[in-house]
Amino acid sequence: MGKLTTHVLDTANGRPGAGIKVELFALSGDARRALKTVTTNDDGRCDAPLLEGEALAKGEYELVFHAGDYFAALGASVPEPRFVDRVVLRFGIADAGSHYHVPLLVSPWSYSTYRGS
């Protein structure tokens, strides 16, 4: 059974990104359909897969991480406008029967991602 998961690591402070709002959208051409909004737990993860089983379909998706709000809440000294604010990751699901893990490593100045396991 396929599933989509994510987690956030705060690389500036060396800890999980807890309490970060994450939005999930399905994409179809220029159209964007909201699927789910969650908040990361104390371990920087979601309490359940974002999508799994029949809900996970082949196609294009977008995750939006509200990282700027997270760092602001921590009291990070960053300029306005923020250099890193909302991190938008667009990716494709080619095999709906597989596990797609899309982590975010983030600081107020940079971010990266990869397909994890």
Side-chain angles (χ1 to χ4, degrees):
M1 176 172 62
K3 63 183 173 178
L4 172 63
T5 58
T6 190
H7 77 275
V8 183
L9 297 173
D10 172 350
T11 58
N13 296 295
R15 62 184 184 196
I20 297 177
K21 179 179 172 181
V22 181
E23 298 172 292
L24 173 64
F25 298 89
L27 305 175
S28 180
D30 290 334
R32 202 172 163 237
R33 182 172 48 95
L35 298 178
K36 187 175 280 190
T37 300
V38 298
T39 302
T40 57
N41 62 24
D42 290 344
D43 195 34
R45 298 177 183 276
C46 302
D47 291 328
L50 296 170
L51 295 173
E52 65 182 323
E54 292 181 11
L56 181 65
K58 182 177 177 177
E60 294 182 81
Y61 293 88
E62 180 179 279
L63 284 168
V64 180
F65 298 85
H66 291 249
D69 293 342
Y70 165 79
F71 286 111
L74 290 180
S77 177
V78 295
E80 284 296 331
R82 300 167 182 159
F83 183 74
V84 171
D85 191 18
R86 290 187 182 152
V87 177
V88 178
L89 301 178
R90 288 190 170 195
F91 58 95
I93 301 287
D95 177 5
S98 293
H99 180 190
Y100 284 78
H101 184 65
V102 184
L104 177 69
L105 289 72
V106 67
S107 83
W109 306 107
S110 67
Y111 63 88
S112 65
T113 190
Y114 56 94
R115 181 173 176 194
S117 59

